[in-house]
């Protein structure tokens, strides 16, 4: 008799799937699950790796032999700067954060990361910052062409692309905190 009660009780809970959360795209936008957030970080990192890799191909093509082959020197400097910023802040750091989001709760036996909504918000700062950084290529004057450190005096000689890059780096920094 008691076994039947347990089976009925287990069956009752199996029917209650607790699937009351959002589905579709809203699942990914509003998630607080550390594995989902870690997966988003890793996919973002992979996409940024491809974007930075394409910029690296432009750089390497230009360096293939002496002299000018494919791009103007200003555009080469812009590619070098954006490649460095995208690879550091868009590929390497999000990859580490993605693996940490996946592994740390599993390693310490926690159900999730602390401050799960802030963890999600931290991820969602990355795409607008990456779009801002990449879009700086298409503004008058072009992107920042100062190297990944963005030091003066070159940083004060650039146009709107430099302002966009600085703002993007600030957003990327807020995301990493």
């Amino acid at each position: 008799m008691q076994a039947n009660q347990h089976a009925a009780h287990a069956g009752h809970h199996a029917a209650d799937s607790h699937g009351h959360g959002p589905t579709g795209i809203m699942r990914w936008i509003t998630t607080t699950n550390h594995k989902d957030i870690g997966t988003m970080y890793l996919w973002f990192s992979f996409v940024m790796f491809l974007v930075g890799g394409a910029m690296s191909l432009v750089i390497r093509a230009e360096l293939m032999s002496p002299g000018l082959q494919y791009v103007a020197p200003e555009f080469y400097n812009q590619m070098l700067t954006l490649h460095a910023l995208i690879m550091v802040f868009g590929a390497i750091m999000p990859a580490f954060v993605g693996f940490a989001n996946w592994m740390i709760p599993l390693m310490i036996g926690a159900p999730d990361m602390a401050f799960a909504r802030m963890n999600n918000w931290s991820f969602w700062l990355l795409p607008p910052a990456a779009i801002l950084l990449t879009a700086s290529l298409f503004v008058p004057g072009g992107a920042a062409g100062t190297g990944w450190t963005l030091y003066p005096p070159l940083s004060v000689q650039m146009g709107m692309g430099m302002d966009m890059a600085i703002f993007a780096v600030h957003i990327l920094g807020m995301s990493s905190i």
Side-chain angles (χ1 to χ4, degrees):
M1 168 108 181
Q2 195 172 17
N4 288 339
Q5 286 176 344
H6 287 300
H9 188 55
H12 173 69
H13 284 296
D16 185 18
S17 64
H18 297 286
H20 306 295
T23 58
I25 190 73
M26 287 307 291
R27 171 188 169 214
W28 293 99
I29 292 174
T30 62
T31 187
T32 55
N33 182 350
H34 69 97
K35 291 180 184 177
D36 289 347
I37 296 171
T39 300
M40 290 190 303
Y41 268 110
L42 291 171
W43 276 110
F44 177 83
S45 175
F46 178 69
V47 169
M48 287 294 100
F49 179 77
L50 294 178
V51 171
M55 292 177 179
S56 175
L57 290 175
V58 171
I59 294 167
R60 295 309 302 168
E62 187 61 39
L63 293 176
M64 192 165 41
S65 54
L68 296 174
Q69 284 88 35
Y70 302 106
V71 298
E74 296 82 19
F75 188 73
Y76 175 83
N77 287 343
Q78 293 169 9
M79 284 287 107
L80 193 67
T81 300
L82 289 183
H83 164 74
L85 291 172
I86 285 173
M87 292 306 265
V88 170
F89 294 108
I92 296 169
M93 286 175 51
F96 286 139
V97 174
F99 283 123
N101 267 290
W102 254 93
M103 298 305 296
I104 288 175
L106 297 176
M107 290 167 43
I108 64 173
D112 206 343
M113 294 290 279
F115 306 113
R117 284 191 179 96
M118 190 180 301
N119 190 15
N120 184 3
W121 186 71
S122 175
F123 169 77
W124 284 110
L125 285 174
L126 289 176
I131 290 168
L132 187 65
L133 189 59
T134 309
S136 69
L137 272 171
F138 305 105
V139 298
T146 61
W148 73 276
T149 56
L150 307 176
Y151 284 154
L154 293 175
S155 64
V156 297
Q157 297 171 356
M158 302 297 298
M160 187 172 31
M162 186 68 200
D163 298 335
M164 292 171 73
I166 289 171
F167 189 50
V169 168
H170 278 83
I171 297 171
L172 292 164
M174 283 191 300
S175 171
S176 69
I177 292 174

